[in-house]
Amino acid sequence: MKKILLFLCIINSINAVTTDDLLNYTFSDNLDINLGKELFINIHKCNSCHGDLGDKSSTTFKSLNTYSASTLKSMLKSYKNDKDFGGKTRFVMQRYANKLSNKDIDNIIAYIKGKDNLELPNSKHIEPAKKTKDNLYLE
């Protein structure tokens, strides 16, 4: 029994995800859209199901470009970390998601969404666009 518990602890520590990783989907600096395209089209062949620009949908999934960047990142991380996530597509997507590093995920999303569409509306790093005359956010 002790060996099983030790094994589970080791496995859990290898796959550890911080709270910041789960709740704040920030994106890496120095994203490479060309690498994202290479990963999406030529290396992992994501385009065979999702289309060259993530614009293809089916009866089991919506087109990727309809999701926000944070939702895409959340979904890919969920495919990697939650064996029950994903419904009918989970068995295929888990295999692909597990091959992707966090940087790969960011580059692929940058390719699909464009670098300018990666900021998150609720990110702790972004100020609301409008301040009052007293330099406050309350109206």
Side-chain angles (χ1 to χ4, degrees):
M1 182 68 168
K2 289 180 183 179
K3 289 181 181 180
I4 292 172
L5 289 174
L6 178 62
F7 176 74
L8 291 174
C9 289
I10 291 170
I11 294 300
N12 189 38
S13 68
I14 291 171
N15 293 322
V17 178
T18 67
T19 305
D20 198 51
D21 287 340
L22 293 173
L23 300 177
N24 300 302
Y25 293 107
T26 57
F27 291 86
S28 308
D29 293 331
N30 304 318
L31 294 172
D32 187 341
I33 289 179
N34 292 326
L35 177 58
K37 181 178 182 178
E38 179 73 14
L39 290 164
F40 189 80
I41 294 175
N42 297 322
I43 296 175
H44 297 292
K45 311 285 188 208
C46 306
N47 64 326
S48 62
C49 292
H50 296 290
D52 285 349
L53 299 173
D55 54 354
K56 188 175 171 184
S57 62
S58 78
T59 57
T60 55
F61 60 85
K62 294 182 355 182
S63 62
L64 298 179
N65 60 11
T66 62
Y67 294 106
S68 69
S70 60
T71 299
L72 288 172
K73 188 159 186 172
S74 172
M75 289 167 64
L76 283 168
K77 284 184 166 278
S78 294
Y79 280 120
K80 287 180 74 158
N81 297 312
D82 180 357
K83 66 180 176 65
D84 297 321
F85 178 80
K88 295 177 184 178
T89 63
R90 77 176 175 265
F91 300 111
V92 174
M93 284 302 302
Q94 286 171 354
R95 229 179 30 229
Y96 286 108
N98 284 323
K99 295 177 184 178
L100 300 172
S101 69
N102 287 335
K103 185 76 171 175
D104 290 343
I105 290 171
D106 290 352
N107 286 324
I108 288 170
I109 294 171
Y111 165 66
I112 294 169
K113 300 302 290 179
K115 279 187 181 179
D116 296 334
N117 294 316
L118 299 181
E119 287 298 333
L120 310 177
N122 296 322
S123 173
K124 63 184 176 185
H125 305 293
I126 300 172
E127 289 186 7
K130 182 180 171 189
K131 292 183 182 182
T132 65
K133 64 181 178 177
D134 300 318
N135 209 30
L136 300 172
Y137 299 106
L138 303 173
E139 294 194 30

